[in-house]
Every structure is written in C-alpha cells, then in structure tokens.
Amino acid sequence: MDFNQIRYFLNLADTLNFTEAAMRSGVSQPTLTRSIQRLEQELGGTLVYRDGKDSRLTTLGRDIRSEFTAILDREQRVRAISLNKVHGRRETLTLGVVNTIAPSLITGFLNHALLQMPMLELVLQPITRDEGKECLLSGRIDGCFCTDPIAGNIKIATVEMFRERLLLAMAQGHILANKAWVSLSDLAEQPYLDRLQCEFRTRVQNHLHERAIIMIPRLRSEREDLIQQAVAEGAGVCMLPERSTIVDGLTLRPVDTLDLSRTVAFQSISGSGTAAALRQLRVLIERYAWS
C-alpha cells in the first residue's frame, strides 16, 4: 500500500461518498474506486459496504481508520519538519474570522493545527459575515471561519463545525438569572443593549414586533467586548450566541418562543488546485472534536 491509498480511504471514510471522496482527493471516481479495491485485496478484507448509493465502513474499515489517520499524520509531520529544517520553508495561510465568533471557539483548534503542521504560519483577519464570500473568491483570504454559510456556489467548499443557540445574556446577579426561561413580558421590561453585528438582529426584531414588543436599545455598538462588558456590569441585557461569551460575569438563558440558532463553519475554495496546506487544514477541521 502507499500514502495515496491511505489518503483516498480516509477521504472516503470521512464522506462515505465515492464521488465526493474522489473530488476531495483530486482524482476521478474510477481511480479512487480501483485504489480502494486494491487496498482491500492487500489487506484481505472488505473495508466499505456498498449498498446502491449508500456506503458504510465495515468493522475492519472502522478499525484501521484510526491507524491510517495516525500514519498520515506522521507522514505529514515528517514532511513539515523536512521543509523547516532542510529547506527553511514555511507555508502561510490568511484566514478570515467573522467578528461575532468568540476567540475561544477557534483558538483551541488553531493551537492543534499549528502543532500538527509545524511548517504553517497563519494570518488572521477580522471580517463581517457578508464579506466572507467576496474575500474568498477574490483571493484576499485563503479560508474563513464564518456563520450561517451561504450555499449554492460550487467553487466554495464548506465544513460545518457546530451549531449554537441564541440566548439572552445578563449579569450573573440579575433578577432573571434565577429563571430557567425568560418570558417575552420579562424581556420587554429590561434595558436592552444592541449588538449591531449580530446575524440574528432582524429575525429577533421581527419576532418581537409580531408580538407587539418593541425593544428600544439604550446602547448600540459593533464592539462585542464593549456590549458584553456593559451587560456583565448590569447596564442591561443583550441577545448572544450561547458559546460566544468573551467576558466574565454573564449568565445566559433561553427566551420563551424565541428558537434561533446559527451554524459556525469553515469555507475555502474547493478543488485539488488549492494549496496543500489549505487542504490539510480543512481535513483537520473536519476531524476536530468541536463539541
């Protein structure tokens, strides 16, 4: 067996779709299929059940998946060390980060990625949600951590990382902090602070207007840290994604009838023509335990 066979199998194990795995591997589907068949012959057992359009790993396939992952990780680290020590080369990727995503949601992964890819240098740029697609297609950034990615563009590959609910944030000693749920009538009585970059603003406003509730903000800002700090100090309440707190002293509670959530994802230009470092980073994102 060779490293290409291992890569093809791991891409198939991740997608359970021969067409998508072939696209991710940068080869034709017949080439990938033949490679998997040769690997099965070498190992003496079936790795993937094929049932029409559905595929799933066999017990053998599941057992060797982690072993192959470790082998490929080691191979990539050896190459990275060689690039650094022998050739003095580094690969730089510029990544956009939507400014409403809390740093703690991605810094753990970035640390993991830098350990796995010693030759990698990352440049992070703050962007708004609406800027991501344009920045990717224009080549200003190589990838972006975004929210509620817009589908439909075959040039852009999307890896969904996790979902998070929209909740009401308040100071820890707030009178509503003792409630399991906050009613709309309770919300209407509170001083409201407005996160101007919030992706949910229009939907929240429409939801409240339909119920004859109009929240007049006492404070507005695009600065996440400023609004959250003001809430923590008791100036009012704000709507906030549940994993996006960046200051201490906040309590989050769901609001009755308000059931909104967002998807946090990574997007980059698709296809085998993208930089090897970007393809490897995308695989690390897919395999990372975001939960």
Side-chain angles (χ1 to χ4, degrees):
M1 74 184 69
D2 57 35
F3 285 121
N4 281 335
Q5 287 177 300
I6 294 175
R7 291 189 185 93
Y8 298 164
F9 170 75
L10 289 177
N11 285 337
L12 180 59
D14 286 340
T15 63
L16 295 179
N17 182 289
F18 278 82
T19 301
E20 186 175 345
M23 183 180 303
R24 184 177 297 183
S25 303
V27 298
S28 66
Q29 183 175 333
T31 297
L32 183 133
T33 300
R34 288 193 297 269
S35 177
I36 298 299
Q37 290 172 343
R38 287 196 300 270
L39 185 60
E40 290 177 326
Q41 292 170 1
E42 292 179 35
L43 294 175
T46 302
L47 300 176
V48 183
Y49 286 123
R50 304 162 181 84
D51 183 14
K53 294 183 178 180
D54 296 324
S55 301
R56 65 185 187 279
L57 295 180
T58 64
T59 301
L60 175 61
R62 293 194 298 270
D63 288 343
I64 68 169
R65 181 180 185 179
S66 59
E67 300 298 328
F68 276 0
T69 299
I71 291 172
L72 199 58
D73 286 344
R74 289 296 181 185
E75 185 259 351
Q76 291 168 341
R77 287 182 63 82
V78 169
R79 290 181 181 275
I81 292 170
S82 175
L83 286 173
N84 278 335
K85 300 297 184 182
V86 179
H87 303 289
R89 288 174 50 190
R90 281 188 177 274
E91 294 192 66
T92 301
L93 293 178
T94 300
L95 305 180
V97 183
V98 169
N99 48 21
T100 60
I101 300 176
S104 60
L105 295 180
I106 60 171
T107 50
F109 166 76
L110 295 178
N111 182 51
H112 169 72
L114 292 173
L115 288 173
Q116 294 296 315
M117 303 172 66
M119 76 298 190
L120 182 63
E121 178 184 11
L122 294 177
V123 178
L124 303 181
Q125 293 186 354
I127 60 173
T128 66
R129 177 178 179 268
D130 295 335
E131 291 173 338
K133 178 180 176 182
E134 179 184 349
C135 290
L136 279 175
L137 295 175
S138 66
R140 281 182 284 169
I141 59 176
D142 299 299
C144 66
F145 293 96
C146 61
T147 57
D148 289 334
I150 300 174
N153 192 317
I154 60 173
K155 295 181 180 180
I156 297 178
T158 301
V159 180
E160 292 191 0
M161 295 154 49
F162 56 86
R163 294 187 64 80
E164 57 177 342
R165 298 174 298 162
L166 183 71
L167 303 177
L168 184 69
M170 64 203 72
Q172 287 182 349
H174 196 280
I175 189 173
L176 297 180
N178 294 323
K179 293 178 175 288
W181 289 78
V182 176
S183 67
L184 291 180
S185 58
D186 286 337
L187 173 61
E189 297 174 356
Q190 302 303 315
Y192 189 67
L193 311 189
D194 194 2
R195 298 169 52 248
L196 294 178
Q197 293 290 346
C198 179
E199 302 96 327
F200 298 97
R201 285 184 77 241
T202 301
R203 284 180 286 173
V204 171
Q205 290 171 353
N206 291 339
H207 183 86
L208 296 178
H209 287 171
E210 290 171 0
R211 290 155 179 80
I213 297 175
I214 299 177
M215 303 295 292
I216 301 177
R218 302 292 304 277
L219 177 65
R220 304 172 188 262
S221 179
E222 295 182 354
R223 293 255 318 249
E224 290 289 318
D225 56 346
L226 193 153
I227 291 292
Q228 291 194 32
Q229 188 63 46
V231 171
E233 294 180 5
V237 299
C238 75
M239 301 304 302
L240 189 67
E242 62 183 318
R243 299 174 65 181
S244 294
T245 55
I246 57 175
V247 303
D248 295 330
L250 293 178
T251 296
L252 279 73
R253 293 289 182 265
V255 177
D256 191 27
T257 77
L258 190 62
D259 185 15
L260 298 175
S261 63
R262 71 176 183 179
T263 298
V264 178
F266 180 79
Q267 289 192 310
S268 58
I269 299 300
S270 61
S272 58
T274 55
L278 181 59
R279 296 198 300 272
Q280 185 179 349
L281 184 72
R282 199 158 54 207
V283 171
L284 291 176
I285 290 172
E286 291 172 345
R287 296 175 182 170
Y288 189 70
W290 293 100
S291 59

